[in-house]
Amino acid sequence: MKYVGPGLMVSVAYMDPGNFASSIASAQFQYKLLFSLVISNIMAGFLQILAGKLGICTGEDLAANSKKYLPAGLNKIIYIFAEIAVIATDVAEIIGTAIAFNIIFNIPLLGGVLLSIVDMLFVIMAYRPDGPMVLLRIFEGFVSLLVFGTVICFAIELGKVSPTTNWKDVALGFLPSKVIFTDINGLYLSAALLGSNLMPHSLYLGSGVVQARMKAYDIKMGLYKIPAKKKTKSLFKFEEADQDNDVAEKYKPSIHAIDETMNYTIAELIVSLITVALFVNAAILIVAGSALSNPMDDDGDGALENADLFTLHHLLTSHLSKAAGSVFAFALLCSGLCGGTVVTIAGQMIMEGHSDARIPPGIKRMITRFLALIPCVTVVLIGGREGLSTVLNAFQVVLSFVLPFICAPLIYFTSNREIMKVEIFEEVKTPTECHELAIVGGAAKGGISHSNPSVESISEVEQYTQEQSIPNAMRKYKNMSNSKATTIIAVIIWIIITFLNFWLLVSMALGVDVPV
């Protein structure tokens, strides 16, 4: 149970309002695209495991590894795409939250957009990745409550649409359908489901939320000592750069922490993606497929617009019950709030990892949110409800464009033996044997390390020998990079993602009415 948390935070990226919109659009084929949904979740889960593995083995997130190992120019390009992805995702969270506020509390859309700043302020005040583990667990617990709130709402929703749902057709929907391959709209929507389910920021998030538990393990086992004069960063105060201090504070996980946390972390991630993300996305599509199966007035104005978040709420309210519509609105609110929370965290990781900008965390988070607010406020003032739906779909297209550029470095890093190697030590049975290795290292550097009578345990010895000058030739490493089969699968997934996403974009450029 102590490893539960990071996977749930990552799963939020797969059940945000952008996913709602894509699933609602897919409901025109009722349940036939459930198979595409499952495949997209499997592919996303595979890449998400690679992201977690990168963070565990290197002790740094995807952004920090990009800055460290990619050419400076390429890193800047990836950074720009990543920032665009964060803003595009944040727009979806803001729109979903604003619509939920409008439905539940009858707050004007502009007011709902401005109220979405609340979750950003919560993250600014509450999230401390380098703080005490108990505070981090409390923060993860709050996000988990919002996640489970969304799950419960859609479980209730499934129960309410059950009488009008053909569950045999639902079961068949999880099998491949010819609609996916023979109907051009079915293929378009399958590609759109892939783009909405695999969010670029989730890969950064998955690689960056796993270190806290490894550090806690190393501290507990005596394999890592917290720097005595560790500088506490202010949320809003600019501080002078201290490169030496930053290097000294870099945490590198021990092989013991990696072995201890790898299986637990990946297992928790997989379970969270299946039981939370896949369930919610499938439930949205099933509920929408049942509610939108027959053409009808979708919002009470006597006309049929394109199906959107307002559409599904109106149909659930008018054709099932007010409770059904209210439950959907609360699910949308929970999704928007927790989605906004995690995308703000991912934005901080991206800015700190990719760039040299020494901006306080609070200001970094505010910059990202206000950049996302600009198009939302503009569209609400000019286009209203239809404008919000258009922007939501447009930014899903933006995410489809940048996704391949974010995935490629992840696959490269996790397949690189040099990047993924983890230092281990000679097999030693006693502190004396281990200390002798340190003496040899000292001699090789031109000096002799003297005995240290305070070293009495194997964990202390390993930490002690890490501090000595042991020649590189005497160091041993464990290869944690991808196997050939894993690399091949990852590359195939990348090719599929790239082809489908760019095919969508080319089709739109040629004037095709692409349903996204």
Side-chain angles (χ1 to χ4, degrees):
M1 288 299 297
K2 67 183 179 181
Y3 286 92
V4 174
L8 287 172
M9 292 184 67
V10 171
S11 70
V12 170
Y14 296 86
M15 41 181 273
D16 72 344
N19 294 68
F20 283 34
S22 296
S23 295
I24 290 172
S26 302
Q28 63 180 271
F29 293 103
Q30 211 167 23
Y31 319 115
K32 292 183 175 65
L33 296 186
L34 283 169
F35 174 76
S36 299
L37 186 66
V38 172
I39 294 299
S40 67
N41 270 264
I42 291 174
M43 295 169 67
F46 186 89
L47 293 177
Q48 207 65 64
I49 289 172
L50 295 187
K53 182 179 176 182
L54 177 69
I56 291 171
C57 294
T58 65
E60 296 181 310
D61 56 45
L62 178 58
N65 277 287
S66 296
K67 180 183 176 184
K68 187 175 181 179
Y69 295 110
L70 294 180
L74 181 57
N75 174 62
K76 288 180 180 178
I77 293 173
I78 300 295
Y79 174 44
I80 292 172
F81 284 138
E83 287 287 7
I84 292 172
V86 167
I87 294 171
T89 306
D90 215 9
V91 166
E93 320 302 352
I94 293 172
I95 290 175
T97 303
I99 291 175
F101 280 137
N102 178 261
I103 293 172
I104 299 171
F105 306 109
N106 201 28
I107 297 174
L109 289 174
L110 179 59
V113 167
L114 298 178
L115 274 175
S116 66
I117 298 175
V118 172
D119 63 344
M120 177 198 68
L121 296 176
F122 168 74
V123 177
I124 289 175
M125 302 307 299
Y127 183 64
R128 298 287 191 279
D130 296 323
M133 191 66 195
V134 63
L135 294 181
L136 187 61
R137 296 280 293 177
I138 292 173
F139 181 86
E140 291 175 348
F142 175 79
V143 174
S144 298
L145 284 177
L146 291 175
V147 170
F148 286 122
T150 308
V151 171
I152 292 170
C153 285
F154 274 104
I156 295 172
E157 212 68 89
L158 283 177
K160 290 188 175 296
V161 301
S162 182
T164 60
T165 300
N166 187 327
W167 290 102
K168 180 180 178 181
D169 287 347
V170 170
L172 292 175
F174 286 101
L175 300 176
S177 171
K178 65 178 182 180
V179 167
I180 302 173
F181 307 101
T182 59
D183 190 303
I184 191 66
N185 279 349
L187 194 53
Y188 279 138
L189 284 168
S190 295
L193 283 173
L194 175 63
S196 67
N197 275 297
L198 181 53
M199 294 289 191
H201 79 279
S202 68
L203 299 177
Y204 288 98
L205 190 71
S207 65
V209 295
V210 295
Q211 284 88 18
R213 283 161 175 76
M214 291 192 299
K215 185 182 290 187
Y217 175 87
D218 277 340
I219 292 173
K220 180 180 177 181
M221 302 302 294
L223 299 173
Y224 176 73
K225 180 184 288 187
I226 301 176
K229 295 183 179 180
K230 184 174 176 61
K231 189 193 310 181
T232 302
K233 293 183 179 180
S234 171
L235 282 172
F236 298 101
K237 182 180 178 182
F238 285 86
E239 297 170 350
E240 294 182 2
D242 187 353
Q243 189 172 2
D244 293 336
N245 190 43
D246 285 347
V247 172
E249 292 181 2
K250 288 286 186 181
Y251 165 68
K252 183 73 174 177
S254 70
I255 184 65
H256 308 290
I258 293 171
D259 289 339
E260 171 72 15
T261 60
M262 181 75 79
N263 291 335
Y264 287 120
T265 301
I266 291 178
E268 192 254 347
L269 174 65
I270 293 173
V271 171
S272 296
L273 289 177
I274 293 174
T275 60
V276 175
L278 180 57
F279 169 79
V280 168
N281 281 297
I284 297 168
L285 201 153
I286 293 170
V287 170
S290 298
L292 301 171
S293 56
N294 297 312
M296 59 186 70
D297 179 11
D298 56 17
D299 62 0
D301 65 356
L304 275 172
E305 291 89 14
N306 292 325
D308 59 11
L309 297 172
F310 283 105
T311 300
L312 187 54
H313 170 260
H314 172 74
L315 294 179
L316 291 171
T317 301
S318 58
H319 296 279
L320 287 178
S321 66
K322 282 189 175 181
S326 298
V327 169
F328 170 75
F330 276 109
L332 183 60
L333 180 61
C334 289
S335 172
L337 289 175
C338 62
T341 300
V342 299
V343 78
T344 303
I345 296 171
Q348 178 186 345
M349 293 177 183
I350 289 169
M351 187 175 287
E352 290 182 347
H354 274 294
S355 71
D356 293 315
R358 302 185 64 83
I359 304 175
I363 295 179
K364 291 175 184 176
R365 298 169 196 172
M366 291 175 67
I367 290 173
T368 301
R369 174 52 59 93
F370 285 122
L371 286 175
L373 278 173
I374 292 172
C376 293
V377 171
T378 304
V379 169
V380 167
L381 293 174
I382 297 175
R385 165 191 162 174
E386 288 74 16
L388 281 181
S389 298
T390 301
V391 168
L392 186 59
N393 291 334
F395 277 95
Q396 292 301 115
V397 174
V398 172
L399 290 172
S400 296
F401 174 76
V402 302
L403 181 59
F405 298 98
I406 305 299
C407 293
L410 173 64
I411 297 171
Y412 167 72
F413 294 148
T414 54
S415 301
N416 189 301
R417 294 171 62 94
E418 190 65 25
I419 295 173
M420 296 294 288
K421 69 181 182 182
V422 178
E423 186 175 353
I424 58 178
F425 298 93
E426 294 281 356
E427 290 293 332
V428 293
K429 303 299 182 183
T430 67
T432 302
E433 292 177 6
C434 191
H435 183 57
E436 287 175 354
L437 181 61
I439 294 175
V440 173
K445 297 290 289 184
I448 300 295
S449 297
H450 299 288
S451 62
N452 187 348
S454 65
V455 178
E456 297 177 350
S457 69
I458 294 298
S459 62
E460 289 176 338
V461 167
E462 288 194 344
Q463 185 174 348
Y464 176 68
T465 55
Q466 279 184 297
E467 298 170 355
Q468 309 307 309
S469 302
I470 301 175
N472 288 332
M474 299 186 65
R475 297 180 184 272
K476 286 189 175 182
Y477 298 90
K478 182 177 181 179
N479 177 26
M480 303 292 287
S481 63
N482 298 333
S483 64
K484 287 185 178 180
T486 301
T487 300
I488 291 172
I489 294 172
V491 171
I492 291 174
I493 290 175
W494 184 86
I495 291 172
I496 294 173
I497 290 172
T498 304
F499 172 76
L500 289 177
N501 286 346
F502 279 93
W503 176 61
L504 274 177
L505 295 172
V506 170
S507 298
M508 293 181 68
L510 294 176
V512 178
D513 184 17
V514 178
V516 293

